[in-house]
């Protein structure tokens, strides 16, 4: 396991109880070096959306818990950032797809399906093999079944 993976595992273990107590969930953790500085980014969410006050609450509690760790996993100083994953967040894990049911999504494909490499529509069904999205084409709704192995990227989208 790399040093970064170990840090992410330790932070996950530390933040999960904080999030569970507040009925929040962990979306993702990044530990990256940018411009000579290290950043620990913790993305959290909850049903109905996370607020700035929620992020401050998690940041304060997580910072305190990380300072109390017996063995400091961080070799270098870092900046802690706690935030929402954003309105057009990528769908990475299975639980992200589950939470996106009945939401508007954007799918990018590795190869064309019915002549298109991108689809936007409402995710209405998913299973191990495929996603079904309801798209509107020429003022008509139709359901498109997209095999999971064709999907290169999936994210929530804002419908205009």
């Amino acid at each position: 396991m790399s040093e970064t993976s170990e840090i992410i595992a330790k932070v996950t273990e530390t933040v999960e109880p904080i999030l569970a107590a507040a009925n929040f969930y962990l979306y993702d953790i990044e530990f990256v070096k940018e411009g000579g500085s290290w950043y620990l980014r913790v993305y959290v969410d909850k049903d109905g959306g996370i607020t700035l006050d929620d992020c401050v609450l998690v940041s304060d509690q997580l910072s305190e818990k990380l300072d109390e760790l017996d063995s400091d996993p961080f070799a270098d100083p870092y900046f802690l950032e706690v935030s929402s994953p954003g309105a057009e967040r990528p769908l990475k894990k299975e639980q992200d797809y589950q939470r996106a049911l009945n939401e508007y999504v954007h799918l990018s494909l590795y190869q064309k399906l019915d002549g298109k490499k991108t689809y936007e529509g409402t995710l209405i069904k998913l299973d191990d093999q495929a996603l079904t999205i309801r798209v509107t084409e020429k003022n008509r709704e139709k359901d498109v079944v997209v095999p999971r192995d064709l999907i290169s990227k999936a994210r929530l989208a804002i419908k205009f």
Side-chain angles (χ1 to χ4, degrees):
M1 191 183 293
S2 74
E3 184 179 331
T4 299
S5 317
E6 289 177 25
I7 287 172
I8 289 173
K10 190 65 174 172
V11 173
T12 300
E13 179 185 312
T14 305
V15 76
E16 286 287 2
I18 296 167
L19 299 177
N23 289 321
F24 301 164
Y25 61 85
L26 179 63
Y27 179 79
D28 199 10
I29 295 177
E30 297 176 334
F31 187 61
V32 294
K33 191 169 191 175
E34 293 176 1
S37 297
W38 284 96
Y39 292 86
L40 175 61
R41 294 190 177 114
V42 180
Y43 299 97
V44 298
D45 209 353
K46 69 177 180 185
D47 293 339
I50 205 88
T51 67
L52 182 59
D53 287 342
D54 295 334
C55 291
V56 169
L57 173 84
V58 173
S59 179
D60 288 348
Q61 290 183 23
L62 179 57
S63 179
E64 186 177 312
K65 293 289 182 192
L66 290 174
D67 288 346
E68 292 172 359
L69 290 177
D70 288 338
S71 58
D72 187 354
F74 303 97
D76 298 301
Y78 63 93
F79 295 97
L80 173 62
E81 296 177 354
V82 176
S83 68
S84 158
E88 292 194 337
R89 70 193 66 175
L91 304 176
K92 296 180 177 184
K93 299 178 252 176
E94 184 58 29
Q95 68 191 51
D96 299 335
Y97 284 95
Q98 292 290 338
R99 286 188 186 103
L101 269 172
N102 302 312
E103 299 287 342
Y104 197 72
V105 298
H106 176 95
L107 304 177
S108 298
L109 309 181
Y110 289 113
Q111 63 191 47
K112 289 183 180 181
L113 175 67
D114 296 331
K116 296 174 68 176
K117 281 188 77 174
T118 63
Y119 284 92
E120 280 196 358
T122 303
L123 178 60
I124 59 170
K125 184 180 169 192
L126 63 111
D127 60 36
D128 292 342
Q129 306 303 313
L131 307 180
T132 303
I133 63 170
R134 182 157 293 146
V135 300
T136 304
E137 290 181 358
K138 298 180 183 171
N139 295 322
R140 288 199 177 134
E141 286 188 343
K142 75 174 190 176
D143 294 350
V144 177
V145 178
V146 181
R148 283 188 183 233
D149 60 358
L150 285 186
I151 300 170
S152 65
K153 292 181 185 172
R155 64 172 169 80
L156 291 179
I158 298 172
K159 187 175 183 177
F160 290 101

